[in-house]
Amino acid sequence: MPRMRDSRSGCESRSVRTLERNDTFAGRVRLAGRDDDRLRVRTLLDDPMPGGGALVLLGEPGVGKSALLTDVAATFAAEGARTLLAAGVPFEPDVSYAALHQLLFDAHDAFDRLDEAHRAALRTALGLAGGPVPSRILVSNAVLLLVRAIAADRPLLLLVDDLHWVDPASAKVLCFVSRRLGGSGVRFLGAARPGGTRCSDVGALPQYRLAPLPERAAYELLAERFPALAPGVRRRVVTEAAGNPLALLELPDTISEAQPPPVLPLTDRLAARYAGRIRDLPGPCRWTLLLGALGGRDAVRAASWDHLETLAPAERDHLVSVAPDGREFTFRNSLIRAAVVAVATAEDRRRAHHALAAALSAPPERRAGHLGEATAGPDENVAGLLERAAERRHARGDPQGAAADLARAAELSPEPIRRARRLALAAYLGTDAAGEIDIAERFAELARRQVVADSGGAARADLARRATRPRNTPARFNPLTPKEREIAELAACGMSNKEIGERLFLSHRTIGSHLYQIFPKLGLTSRAGLRDALTELSRR
């Protein structure tokens, strides 16, 4: 007998779980940015024209198809309709009528409304009785007669999630029924990924493509669920999620610092959406995807790789789009890119970074970044390249990128003093970029502990204090220029770089550059001690 759950994996269809938790559909949750979609879906379902009453939602994984299905079900339930649920299961592609069994199991008490021939055919198809294998047309007519009989009592909504995983036998029956709902009280609503169904008949049904959330709705969702998220991190999450609601809700849990990595890690829930599809690709295809995920389109083009034809399997599976000239490609969304990196082994990632570093000569900071990721242990040469790259990034007005380079440089520094100094600089720049004082203090404390742990003798404490100052900078008592003093006093009052710039008719980047010079002169790594430092300076 087909089952709603796959006992081999202990796994249950995500969609079935989501809908079963709301089987009364009483506690509806507001869907951010989906008011227009809800209205459009309901309008299409209520279309009285021939072929109306059936609709398939199309959308990428995580875009909110299941949530919209649940919302529609809640609307119909509030109007007194009955709902029958099913969802495709990836482990049951060869179990005929598995999805149909899910859908109709709770309606088996209505089978007696059918005549003997149709009742016997349906019970046999669903594995509820033995007998000769019935023809598909007989089973299809039995299901059509059954749902119309149920709808004679009250309206009926058939919901089928993950149509792309529905077994072909069930898909053909559902399509047959869905095209014959005109004039009845039955509605059919399904959800599928674009181009991924096992039955071509599904493509003949009316479709509605669910687009990613607009940027404003994405920010509203993050503000509601993660109100304490730093502004810079919030912007990064919105950019990476690209309007995907699941990514918006999952990615913040993967970020624990003010400088997120170049490719954000995925939670298990996000990785599961793409990992299996990526692992099934041929090895050369996965390698090319990894190069693109870590290096971007420009890196692929700069390396003059001629093997983008290996991406054909990924293109067919709607994971990437290849340019007409075949010289570059883009991932369908950032989650696929992150999943490619997550599936790769650490050794594969290092090899890819080595290949990218060898292919790139400019800009030097990109090459340094790839070398930093390709290096497994302490290496002062690479650490020095990263520090120089950080200086160039900061000069271009990218303190967040500079802080990330310095943090990696510190990890690769063999000498404790250089490691501590680079951590201290990363602390300051991280604060300037994201406004997270606690992040800066954590880096600074880590720098001090590093020196204390790795140094000996009576001067350990003084060494720790001095190590957190950037190199070639004066000690605490060195004077500031008049302009630096003015900026420092405004910053000590709690004004942001932007506010100081508006007061002094300077850009916020210029203010940041001044503070970059001021903090080392005062022996600081953040604004936290700025007021005390200025007070002490006034006494001298």
Side-chain angles (χ1 to χ4, degrees):
M1 179 187 298
R3 296 162 297 195
M4 294 180 69
R5 296 168 178 80
D6 188 279
S7 58
R8 292 166 295 177
S9 65
C11 193
E12 179 187 8
S13 166
R14 166 188 53 80
S15 306
V16 172
R17 289 201 308 270
T18 301
L19 294 174
E20 284 180 344
R21 281 199 300 266
N22 299 280
D23 54 358
T24 61
F25 304 111
R28 290 178 57 181
V29 178
R30 185 183 70 86
L31 297 180
R34 292 300 187 200
D35 290 345
D36 291 343
D37 296 307
R38 293 170 59 196
L39 180 60
R40 182 61 176 157
V41 167
R42 185 59 190 266
T43 300
L44 292 171
L45 284 176
D46 290 341
D47 185 358
M49 299 297 292
L55 184 66
V56 176
L57 294 178
L58 293 180
E60 296 295 332
V63 79
K65 301 185 296 296
S66 297
L68 189 54
L69 287 184
T70 303
D71 184 86
V72 171
T75 301
F76 273 82
E79 297 171 358
R82 179 178 181 179
T83 304
L84 295 179
L85 313 170
V89 180
F91 312 106
E92 295 180 338
D94 300 321
V95 182
S96 294
Y97 302 117
L100 201 61
H101 178 274
Q102 284 189 50
L103 187 69
L104 300 179
F105 185 79
D106 288 339
H108 69 274
D109 57 341
F111 287 9
D112 290 339
R113 299 188 184 189
L114 300 175
D115 60 67
E116 178 59 31
H118 288 103
R119 182 170 63 251
L122 186 55
R123 287 177 59 84
T124 301
L126 299 184
L128 301 176
V133 178
S135 67
R136 181 167 294 136
I137 187 64
L138 188 59
V139 175
S140 299
N141 277 309
V143 174
L144 179 59
L145 292 171
L146 177 67
V147 298
R148 281 179 170 269
I150 295 173
D153 299 331
R154 58 171 173 157
L156 176 65
L157 175 65
L158 305 177
L159 278 185
V160 182
D161 203 354
D162 292 327
L163 269 170
H164 47 276
W165 285 330
V166 166
D167 61 280
S170 294
K172 288 182 178 296
V173 171
L174 292 172
C175 291
F176 176 93
V177 171
S178 299
R179 289 193 293 266
R180 292 164 175 80
L181 297 180
S184 72
V186 185
R187 299 290 182 268
F188 174 84
L189 181 60
R193 296 173 184 170
T197 59
R198 291 171 174 147
C199 177
S200 59
D201 291 21
V202 174
L205 296 177
Q207 298 175 349
Y208 179 76
R209 184 173 290 273
L210 193 60
L213 288 177
E215 186 176 277
R216 179 176 179 179
Y219 276 109
E220 289 176 356
L221 183 59
L222 277 183
E224 178 183 333
R225 298 295 184 92
F226 303 95
L229 208 59
V233 176
R234 186 181 297 117
R235 287 192 297 271
R236 176 69 187 280
V237 169
V238 169
T239 299
E240 292 290 334
N244 188 291
L246 180 61
L248 288 167
L249 296 177
E250 295 278 330
L251 287 177
D253 290 335
T254 70
I255 304 174
S256 58
E257 55 188 44
Q259 295 85 33
V263 179
L264 296 184
L266 296 183
T267 63
D268 291 342
R269 189 179 177 192
L270 286 175
R273 300 301 175 96
Y274 295 106
R277 295 162 67 186
I278 293 168
R279 290 193 182 99
D280 289 342
L281 297 172
C285 181
R286 293 199 307 272
W287 174 248
T288 306
L289 288 177
L290 183 59
L291 291 172
L294 296 175
R297 289 181 298 166
D298 292 339
V300 174
R301 192 185 305 117
S304 299
W305 287 306
D306 296 322
H307 53 266
L308 289 188
E309 65 273 9
T310 63
L311 290 176
E315 188 177 19
R316 285 194 296 269
D317 200 20
H318 297 270
L319 296 172
V320 299
S321 296
V322 179
D325 62 5
R327 299 296 300 167
E328 62 180 4
F329 70 94
T330 56
F331 290 97
R332 290 282 185 174
N333 59 59
S334 60
L335 297 183
I336 299 173
R337 174 174 173 252
V340 167
V341 177
V343 167
T345 65
E347 178 58 30
D348 283 341
R349 291 194 293 270
R350 284 193 291 270
R351 286 197 306 116
H353 280 297
H354 266 301
L356 290 164
L360 293 172
S361 57
E365 52 266 35
R366 288 187 62 193
R367 181 174 181 273
H370 286 302
L371 285 175
E373 295 300 325
T375 305
D379 188 317
E380 180 56 35
N381 289 332
V382 176
L385 288 174
L386 285 167
E387 185 171 1
R388 288 190 288 276
E391 293 172 355
R392 284 189 289 269
R393 284 183 185 272
H394 186 266
R396 293 204 316 265
D398 181 16
Q400 190 168 359
D405 283 346
L406 283 166
R408 181 57 179 158
E411 293 175 357
L412 298 178
S413 301
E415 298 180 10
I417 298 299
R418 291 183 176 180
R419 189 179 309 135
R421 177 176 53 75
R422 287 161 177 162
L423 280 171
L425 279 175
Y428 162 64
L429 292 177
T431 305
D432 186 42
E436 294 288 328
I437 299 298
D438 57 332
I439 296 293
E441 294 297 340
R442 178 167 58 83
F443 270 107
E445 180 60 24
L446 183 61
R448 296 185 188 100
R449 290 181 180 179
Q450 178 65 61
V451 177
V452 171
D454 293 341
S455 302
R460 289 192 306 174
D462 181 63
L463 181 60
R465 177 180 58 79
R466 290 186 292 109
T468 58
R469 296 194 197 110
R471 62 181 175 182
N472 300 327
T473 56
R476 190 178 187 86
F477 52 81
N478 278 29
L480 303 176
T481 66
K483 177 62 70 177
E484 288 174 343
R485 181 62 181 259
E486 184 178 15
I487 291 173
E489 289 176 348
L490 293 174
C493 292
M495 296 180 67
S496 66
N497 289 4
K498 182 179 179 181
E499 291 170 334
I500 297 172
E502 291 174 349
R503 173 76 66 87
L504 302 180
F505 302 99
L506 298 171
S507 73
H508 69 279
R509 290 182 177 178
T510 300
I511 300 301
S513 296
H514 278 294
L515 288 173
Y516 183 73
Q517 302 297 324
I518 293 169
F519 280 28
K521 289 184 178 182
L522 299 178
L524 302 175
T525 58
S526 74
R527 298 175 183 238
L530 193 54
R531 186 180 297 277
D532 291 340
L534 290 174
T535 300
E536 181 180 344
L537 190 63
S538 299
R539 294 171 180 169
R540 294 178 182 272

